[in-house]
Amino acid sequence: MAKLQETKEERNSSSTLPDELAYLITAFLPSRSTDDRSKAFLTLSAFCQGVRNSSTTQTKDGDPNTETLARAFGPLVANQLADTDENVLLSSVSFLTALFQVDWQSASSIFLQDGVLELIMDSVDLTPSKVLARGVAQLLSQAAGHKPCRSAMSPQAIKWLDFTSQKSSDTNTRAGATTALIKLSRGTALDNAEVAGDSAASVQTKIGSQKDGDLAMSMKAIVISGDDGDSTSDAVEGLAYLSVDPAIKEQLSQDTIFLKRLFNLVPGRKSSSPSPSPPTTLGFGILLIVSNLCAYRPRLTEEEAQIERLRNMAKANNASGAKSQRPSILDDDDHVKARIRRLINANVLDIFTIVAQTDTSGVRTLAAKALLSIVEDKDTRGKVLQSGSTKILMHIIKNGLPPATTIRSSPTTAPTPTLDSHVLDATQALAKLAITSSPVQVFGPNTGALYDAIRPFSLMLQGTSSTLLQRFESMMALTNLSSQGTEIATRIAQAEGLLQKVELLLLEDHNLVRRAAMELICNLIAGSDDVFEKYGGGNNPSATKSKIQIMFALSDVDDLPTRLAASGAVATLSSAPSACAAIISLQFDKHRVFRILAQLIDPSAVSSDGTDEEEERADLETHPGLVHRAIISIRNILLAVSDKMVLKKLSKEAEEAGLQQALMNFVKNEASKTDAGVLRPAVEALKIMMDKS
């Protein structure tokens, strides 16, 4: 009592009166109305925030703001816990539970004070009450969510939770106790994993007499029964913790009745059941379960995989002889795909409407992560489009994009744009949909939605936090969008920094990334006057020549789609006299252009110099598209020359490179089965060469 009086005297000088604080202690009793408790939460939150805003100084002894809050509330809590009156005990327990939700640091500080946990456990022994037992179970559940409190949890508390989770006749109490055990089990596994350097799912920890599978069964039964909203909310929270375990994932995903009941709980669905639990809290828990069930193993780069192998070798050879845990087969791609299909069959796609209704950062993050996992399998993308999830992804992206005015401060000092992880996830999911489906199917007939997608794809392409896969998929999506007309191609080309980044990726070692970059540039050259002028214009002959040289180099690589895109870009550019002048200059300098064009038409017409490189080129795949592009290019190049001496020199070099022979072979062998649109320019080019030879 002396300490309590001392604390009261200290508070007399603060802006919050002791009587108000005393009222706050009793404001969270279960007997209070929902409206009263909501106001109490706001008041408590405002008070805690005010204390924390008053000082940001950290000391060697800890956070002074946490100490201030603990001194303000701790004595009142401890004093009431020492009482024997049920209502007084319940007010203290319910207040400390609320404080954990508002300011867990100060609540943990009070919980860890000498004698507090003993008083809490004594209260349920000395004052048997269903309501008090429920309150203590919920308090221990809140405390178990935080590492300092987990390590201080006494054997007496664990024994009581274990007994109550199995024997209590009250569903709410049983759900709260089971959730507390789950948090202790998974939290302890996470704590141990941090020490051992493993994942939490690979560390097996048992708290009490029940295994995680038994706890999951109990929680599932509560969700399926749907008897009480509060117990259902606790069950969802417990399953959210358990669903990181591969075996639990399989167990949950194979229970169709459970899944449908779980998804029906999402607020806002037509079939959802009313629940007193706040919609954001319940929806977050359900989304977390879905996200865990759909999660693939992280995709490691070669460097990350090598580091992981070295880490496993070190663990295998350490002094204790401990063996590293192998990833569970239940988390391989095939099992994840099967789980996702079962979830889709249970109408999981309907739950994402919660994003537009609650619109919190946590909900958006989980929804983006889950949808990205769902669209990983191409076979599921059609159902995702049918469900209208594209609008959800666009909503997440729009709410997370940085303001356009702050992305580039000036042309000379342009910072690299970055996106939050959940915006990256949503953008990547949208890109996957845009790659494999028509833009109209993804974005609808409204061109405004197409235009809105350009910026996030551009930022994902350029972002420093983007992976190579994300850059590749953004280019593929933009390539598909650019095929929808000149207006959208022009807008893509005008996205700041985009074209420069794509040009850099033309030099990427990864074959698919290089291909995607070339295909995007090919589409932009065909669709945007600005890009056509940049690559084939006469304003900067040196730059034009350099860019066209890259196009010819990529027309000669051992990858058919890249060759088609690069030769297509050359064919388009060859309609410009300035581009033809650059090509002719390049032929006279390097003597490689006509040889590459001949290779595209008929590799057998190109004489080999006996080197391995030439022999490899002789084996390059032929394709009607390559033939067409090369013929259009050489016809345009020759028609662009008015100087007879230059034309004669070009004809001679074409003969030496095998280009003339390639055209003759084509006209002779393919005349009867070739479209006139290809045959006519071939004959024109051949006639010019033979006339000047």
Side-chain angles (χ1 to χ4, degrees):
M1 286 299 293
K3 289 184 179 180
L4 180 60
Q5 184 62 37
E6 180 183 341
T7 306
K8 287 182 177 179
E9 290 174 358
E10 290 176 2
R11 291 197 308 272
N12 282 335
S13 59
S14 66
S15 59
T16 305
L17 299 176
D19 289 344
E20 292 173 342
L21 286 178
Y23 165 77
L24 206 54
I25 294 289
T26 63
F28 298 96
L29 284 166
S31 57
R32 298 279 188 181
S33 67
T34 302
D35 187 51
D36 285 346
R37 289 201 300 272
S38 298
K39 291 177 181 177
F41 266 111
L42 289 173
T43 304
L44 180 61
S45 177
F47 176 76
C48 293
Q49 193 63 42
V51 171
R52 292 201 172 276
N53 290 340
S54 65
S55 173
T56 57
T57 306
Q58 294 282 337
T59 66
K60 291 187 293 183
D61 297 329
D63 180 6
N65 296 324
T66 296
E67 295 174 5
T68 300
L69 289 169
R71 283 198 305 269
F73 296 121
L76 276 174
V77 171
N79 185 58
Q80 291 193 353
L81 284 174
D83 209 308
T84 56
D85 182 84
E86 178 187 345
N87 206 50
V88 175
L89 288 169
L90 189 57
S91 66
S92 180
V93 167
S94 58
F95 170 79
L96 191 53
T97 302
L99 187 58
F100 265 111
Q101 298 172 62
V102 172
D103 191 277
W104 72 267
Q105 296 93 332
S106 59
S108 297
S109 178
I110 296 171
F111 186 85
L112 294 172
Q113 289 177 5
D114 288 343
V116 169
L117 181 56
E118 287 78 2
L119 288 172
I120 293 171
M121 301 316 303
D122 288 345
S123 68
V124 287
D125 287 338
L126 300 175
T127 313
S129 163
K130 182 185 294 185
V131 179
L132 182 59
R134 181 189 304 176
V136 170
Q138 292 171 344
L139 171 57
L140 294 180
S141 175
Q142 288 292 331
H146 305 286
K147 185 176 180 179
C149 299
R150 280 196 298 271
S151 59
M153 202 67 71
S154 66
Q156 178 190 4
I158 294 173
K159 185 177 179 180
W160 181 84
L161 288 170
D162 191 28
F163 176 84
T164 304
S165 67
Q166 300 178 69
K167 303 298 183 181
S168 176
S169 59
D170 180 65
T171 305
N172 278 324
T173 305
R174 195 167 63 250
T178 306
T179 303
L181 286 173
I182 291 170
K183 288 183 177 181
L184 285 171
S185 172
R186 300 315 308 162
T188 303
L190 180 61
D191 300 340
N192 294 341
E194 290 176 355
V195 176
D198 285 320
S199 67
S202 66
V203 178
Q204 299 299 318
T205 304
K206 181 181 176 183
I207 302 294
S209 63
Q210 301 177 81
K211 297 180 180 179
D212 285 351
D214 299 327
L215 298 174
M217 290 293 290
S218 299
M219 297 287 94
K220 273 175 52 181
I222 292 173
V223 171
I224 293 172
S225 67
D227 292 336
D228 184 275
D230 289 334
S231 61
T232 300
S233 182
D234 284 338
V236 168
E237 183 182 10
L239 289 172
Y241 276 85
L242 286 174
S243 56
V244 298
D245 183 273
I248 303 297
K249 292 179 185 181
E250 283 296 294
Q251 181 189 131
L252 298 181
S253 69
Q254 291 174 0
D255 192 332
T256 305
I257 296 175
F258 160 75
L259 290 177
K260 290 186 175 181
R261 172 60 186 158
L262 179 70
F263 300 154
N264 282 339
L265 293 172
V266 173
R269 293 190 72 215
K270 292 180 180 179
S271 57
S272 64
S273 304
S275 170
S277 177
T280 303
T281 303
L282 185 61
F284 181 87
I286 295 170
L287 278 175
L288 183 53
I289 293 172
V290 170
S291 178
N292 288 339
L293 296 183
C294 297
Y296 287 85
R297 286 177 187 158
R299 308 293 194 230
L300 301 180
T301 63
E302 284 189 25
E303 182 180 355
E304 290 170 338
Q306 179 64 18
I307 292 173
E308 185 66 22
R309 284 193 292 269
L310 292 173
R311 183 182 292 119
N312 291 336
M313 289 172 59
K315 290 177 186 175
N317 297 326
N318 63 16
S320 63
K323 294 183 179 180
S324 60
Q325 289 280 348
R326 288 182 177 272
S328 171
I329 192 174
L330 298 177
D331 255 350
D332 64 18
D333 286 359
D334 289 340
H335 280 86
V336 176
K337 287 180 180 179
R339 283 200 293 267
I340 290 173
R341 288 169 187 163
R342 290 194 289 268
L343 264 63
I344 289 177
N345 291 337
N347 300 323
V348 70
L349 295 172
D350 293 346
I351 74 171
F352 293 104
T353 55
I354 191 176
V355 175
Q357 294 161 3
T358 56
D359 206 24
T360 65
S361 175
V363 167
R364 289 197 299 267
T365 299
L366 289 176
K369 185 178 179 181
L371 284 170
L372 176 58
S373 296
I374 290 171
V375 301
E376 183 71 26
D377 184 359
K378 292 180 181 179
D379 293 338
T380 66
R381 294 178 189 175
K383 292 184 178 180
V384 172
L385 291 174
Q386 291 171 8
S387 71
S389 295
T390 301
K391 294 180 180 179
I392 301 298
L393 291 171
M394 288 299 294
H395 178 84
I396 295 170
I397 292 168
K398 285 181 180 179
N399 279 275
L401 283 179
T405 54
T406 63
I407 289 181
R408 303 278 172 166
S409 56
S410 72
T412 56
T413 60
T416 303
T418 56
L419 296 176
D420 292 338
S421 60
H422 74 280
V423 181
L424 270 177
D425 286 343
T427 305
Q428 188 178 8
L430 190 65
K432 288 178 185 291
L433 294 172
I435 290 169
T436 54
S437 303
S438 163
V440 175
Q441 289 179 299
V442 179
F443 301 100
N446 182 10
T447 55
L450 286 174
Y451 300 154
D452 289 341
I454 295 173
R455 184 164 171 254
F457 288 156
S458 174
L459 295 184
M460 184 167 76
L461 172 63
Q462 300 178 64
T464 54
S465 59
S466 300
T467 64
L468 193 60
L469 175 61
Q470 288 170 333
R471 293 192 175 99
F472 165 75
E473 290 179 333
S474 65
M475 288 190 293
M476 292 284 286
L478 287 167
T479 300
N480 212 1
L481 293 187
S482 65
S483 66
Q484 296 304 296
T486 57
E487 175 63 24
I488 189 148
T490 300
R491 286 177 179 250
I492 291 171
Q494 291 172 346
E496 193 165 7
L498 182 143
L499 202 54
Q500 294 91 322
K501 183 65 178 181
V502 176
E503 288 173 342
L504 286 175
L505 291 172
L506 285 174
L507 309 176
E508 175 63 45
D509 290 336
H510 198 291
N511 186 44
L512 294 178
V513 175
R514 188 174 62 229
R515 178 199 298 176
M518 188 63 255
E519 289 176 340
L520 177 54
I521 288 177
C522 178
N523 274 21
L524 294 181
I525 288 173
S528 168
D529 291 341
D530 292 340
V531 180
F532 182 90
E533 182 65 25
K534 180 177 181 179
Y535 276 77
N539 294 334
N540 191 340
S542 176
T544 298
K545 183 177 176 180
S546 176
K547 292 181 184 302
I548 289 177
Q549 183 176 1
I550 294 174
M551 300 299 106
F552 272 103
L554 292 174
S555 297
D556 198 32
V557 299
D558 189 12
D559 179 64
L560 179 58
T562 303
R563 297 173 77 204
L564 284 168
S567 58
V570 170
T572 303
L573 291 171
S574 67
S575 63
S578 54
C580 290
I583 294 172
I584 293 169
S585 175
L586 195 60
Q587 169 62 26
F588 287 159
D589 287 349
K590 305 293 183 181
H591 306 287
R592 293 287 306 156
V593 170
F594 284 177
R595 193 177 187 87
I596 291 171
L597 290 174
Q599 191 91 37
L600 296 175
I601 298 171
D602 183 3
S604 66
V606 181
S607 59
S608 172
D609 58 9
T611 63
D612 292 341
E613 185 178 358
E614 288 297 332
E615 290 178 2
E616 288 177 7
R617 284 201 177 93
D619 294 331
L620 285 177
E621 186 179 357
T622 58
H623 187 277
L626 295 176
V627 175
H628 188 188
R629 289 159 171 75
I631 288 174
I632 294 296
S633 298
I634 187 59
R635 190 275 308 268
N636 288 346
I637 293 167
L638 295 175
L639 289 177
V641 180
S642 57
D643 189 307
K644 294 182 179 180
M645 293 302 296
V646 173
L647 196 57
K648 185 175 182 180
K649 185 177 179 181
L650 285 174
S651 298
K652 182 181 179 181
E653 295 209 5
E655 184 177 1
E656 292 173 351
L659 179 55
Q660 183 174 313
Q661 184 63 47
L663 286 170
M664 291 176 64
N665 292 346
F666 172 77
V667 172
K668 179 180 178 181
N669 299 326
E670 305 293 332
S672 61
K673 49 186 177 181
T674 300
D675 183 84
V678 182
L679 184 61
R680 188 181 299 112
V683 172
E684 289 177 19
L686 190 58
K687 185 175 184 300
I688 294 172
M689 289 181 190
M690 298 184 73
D691 286 347
K692 299 299 178 181
S693 298

